[in-house]
Amino acid sequence: MPRPSEPTRARIVQAASALFYNEGIRRVSVDEVAAKAGLTKRTLYYHFKSKDDLVAAYLAARDQPNLALFRTWFAEAEGGLPAKVEAIFKNLARSARHPKWKGCGFLRTSAELANLPGHPAIRIGAAHKKKFEDWLRATFAEQGIADPLKLARQILLLLDGSFAVVLLHRDASYMETAGEAARTLIETALAKPRRKRG
Amino acid sequence: MPRPSEPTRARIVQAASALFYNEGIRRVSVDEVAAKAGLTKRTLYYHFKSKDDLVAAYLAARDQPNLALFRTWFAEAEGGLPAKVEAIFKNLARSARHPKWKGCGFLRTSAELANLPGHPAIRIGAAHKKKFEDWLRATFAEQGIADPLKLARQILLLLDGSFAVVLLHRDASYMETAGEAARTLIETALAKPRRKRG
DNA sequence: TTGTGTATATTCACTGGTTAGTATACATAC
DNA sequence: GTATGTATACTAACCAGTGAATATACACAA
């Protein structure tokens, strides 16, 4: 087992993240990543066995920070469940108004690599979205919502829909519209009987 | 004014559409498109001034047929407004279960070209989605819904969200879940007073 | 009917640049 | 003196776009 040089590896992932997110995966060459990381391509290939491997590392590094951000926005919001979920959308809208914002890296990667269904990076993206969905589901279940998985998936659909739509139109207000829809769905679910709907 | 050779041009767009949709825009070379169309690259460049021009033509060719399909699904569905909108999602789920399905070409293009915000192809995609949104808005307005634009945008968010999520997970059942959410939102909007909500 | 000019349409062969990945050698640490 | 880590220099393929020549069709004059 080789002991990997973590600072170097981390520096490469950081450079790759910035370039892949800003320019697109197929647009960015391994040479560019190496140059941005301040080392040669050959060194990069010492730490990563292929470009695909590097792409997977780029998304893996985004997994936990992204989830933590969503959880923080939820936890710090005032109000009940609908307001706390809607706060995620409001915070996301604020992020999306930053000029460097370019959508969701996981979704954009799955769109760009749609011809390679089993690609490691796509698997990491799918796992990331599943974790978010499961966190929402558990949160809804705690609140006694009748079908927490379905509601979690509907919120996820609105969230990922707003990533896609805002990227296309460059109009972050769609995220607030999605937040209102999420609020409506949650309020409707809360108004239903706790066990199973009839 | 040159008289363009329409059959040749159409054949190129057809070849480009299949390749760009299946493999991704940056993955596909102009040589591949020319080969698939049965002519040389130089001939292709007689009909299109650049690859970007060809990408724009690929999406422009999908605009009207896609909209017509949605309108047909809506028109042919039984039941009231919620059921007719939900029918769009059900039909989309059926399409998405086809093994060659790879998401929404407009959204995937905007994801792949996110580093080129003003790209002609992105403009065509944005216009396409606006047309769909406006058709929904007009339909909702006819039914006396209080805020038809907001509801239309929420349905669009669910639709584009299902494109993104189903592409990532390769699980078309998310489209049916999105359809249920759409139904809930429309039923809630129909239950509200017709003019403005208080 | 035949010749000729012109715009449309197509091909071959090429350029200059880029790309993922590698063979080999060298450095550094312990 | 051996593991780890870095750099130089290279390959073989690919890629967007172009220069120059040619083929085809059709209008119109002789």
Side-chain angles (χ1 to χ4, degrees):
Chain A
M1 286 288 183
R3 181 172 50 91
S5 165
E6 275 311 308
T8 301
R9 193 191 148 94
R11 203 153 37 98
I12 295 168
V13 172
Q14 202 171 2
S17 291
L19 288 169
F20 286 152
Y21 180 75
N22 286 320
E23 309 285 337
I25 289 167
R26 286 190 169 132
R27 169 67 211 273
V28 171
S29 70
V30 177
D31 295 79
E32 284 177 271
V33 175
K36 176 138 192 165
L39 35 79
T40 65
K41 179 166 58 171
R42 194 61 188 83
T43 300
L44 190 154
Y45 273 100
Y46 177 80
H47 293 276
F48 299 90
K49 74 176 215 293
S50 66
K51 183 179 181 180
D52 287 337
D53 197 26
L54 183 59
V55 175
Y58 144 58
L59 288 188
R62 287 191 160 231
D63 178 47
Q64 289 304 324
N66 264 29
L67 291 171
L69 198 57
F70 288 143
R71 283 195 212 101
T72 300
W73 286 339
F74 179 91
E76 289 180 352
E78 306 279 328
L81 187 64
K84 286 170 94 67
V85 171
E86 195 175 2
I88 295 176
F89 288 88
K90 284 179 179 167
N91 277 285
L92 219 43
R94 194 166 36 80
S95 304
R97 287 188 171 97
H98 189 284
K100 288 198 73 176
W101 184 88
K102 292 202 181 68
C104 170
F106 301 97
L107 295 183
R108 274 178 56 212
T109 300
S110 94
E112 201 168 349
L113 306 184
N115 62 320
L116 306 168
H119 194 287
I122 292 177
R123 270 204 253 269
I124 289 167
H128 172 78
K129 295 294 182 182
K130 281 288 178 196
K131 283 179 208 167
F132 179 76
E133 177 187 299
D134 197 62
W135 168 68
L136 272 182
R137 184 202 51 73
T139 304
F140 293 155
E142 278 172 27
Q143 302 290 319
I145 279 174
D147 193 341
L149 176 59
K150 179 158 79 177
L151 186 60
R153 290 186 169 187
Q154 291 179 342
I155 304 307
L156 177 82
L157 284 158
L158 286 167
L159 188 95
D160 286 344
S162 66
F163 278 123
V165 172
V166 174
L167 181 64
L168 183 61
H169 289 312
R170 299 284 173 164
D171 175 0
S173 75
Y174 276 92
M175 262 162 188
E176 282 136 7
T177 305
E180 288 183 64
R183 166 186 279 277
T184 301
L185 291 173
I186 295 167
E187 283 169 350
T188 303
L190 283 170
K192 277 183 188 160
R194 296 281 161 123
R195 279 285 162 193
K196 280 271 176 185
R197 66 167 179 162
Chain B
M1 290 284 185
R3 180 174 50 92
S5 164
E6 275 311 307
T8 300
R9 195 191 148 93
R11 202 151 42 96
I12 295 170
V13 172
Q14 202 169 4
S17 291
L19 288 169
F20 287 151
Y21 180 75
N22 286 320
E23 311 284 337
I25 288 167
R26 286 187 169 134
R27 170 66 211 273
V28 171
S29 69
V30 177
D31 294 79
E32 284 176 274
V33 175
K36 177 138 189 166
L39 35 78
T40 66
K41 178 167 57 173
R42 197 65 186 78
T43 301
L44 190 154
Y45 273 99
Y46 177 79
H47 293 275
F48 299 89
K49 77 175 210 296
S50 67
K51 184 179 180 181
D52 287 337
D53 196 26
L54 183 58
V55 174
Y58 144 59
L59 289 187
R62 286 190 160 232
D63 177 48
Q64 288 303 324
N66 264 27
L67 291 171
L69 198 57
F70 288 144
R71 284 195 212 104
T72 300
W73 286 340
F74 179 90
E76 289 181 350
E78 306 280 327
L81 187 63
K84 286 168 94 66
V85 170
E86 195 175 3
I88 294 176
F89 288 87
K90 286 179 179 168
N91 277 284
L92 219 43
R94 194 165 37 78
S95 304
R97 288 188 171 98
H98 189 284
K100 291 198 72 177
W101 185 88
K102 292 200 181 69
C104 170
F106 300 97
L107 294 183
R108 276 180 53 214
T109 300
S110 94
E112 202 168 348
L113 306 184
N115 61 320
L116 307 168
H119 194 287
I122 292 177
R123 269 205 253 271
I124 289 168
H128 172 79
K129 296 292 183 184
K130 281 288 179 197
K131 283 179 206 166
F132 179 76
E133 177 188 300
D134 197 63
W135 168 69
L136 271 182
R137 184 203 50 74
T139 303
F140 293 156
E142 278 172 25
Q143 302 290 317
I145 280 174
D147 193 341
L149 177 59
K150 178 157 80 175
L151 186 59
R153 290 186 169 187
Q154 292 179 343
I155 303 308
L156 178 82
L157 284 158
L158 286 167
L159 188 94
D160 286 344
S162 65
F163 278 124
V165 172
V166 173
L167 181 64
L168 184 60
H169 290 313
R170 298 284 174 164
D171 175 359
S173 74
Y174 276 91
M175 263 163 188
E176 281 136 6
T177 305
E180 287 182 64
R183 165 186 280 277
T184 301
L185 292 173
I186 296 167
E187 283 169 350
T188 303
L190 282 170
K192 278 181 189 163
R194 297 282 162 121
R195 278 285 163 195
K196 279 272 179 185
R197 64 168 181 163

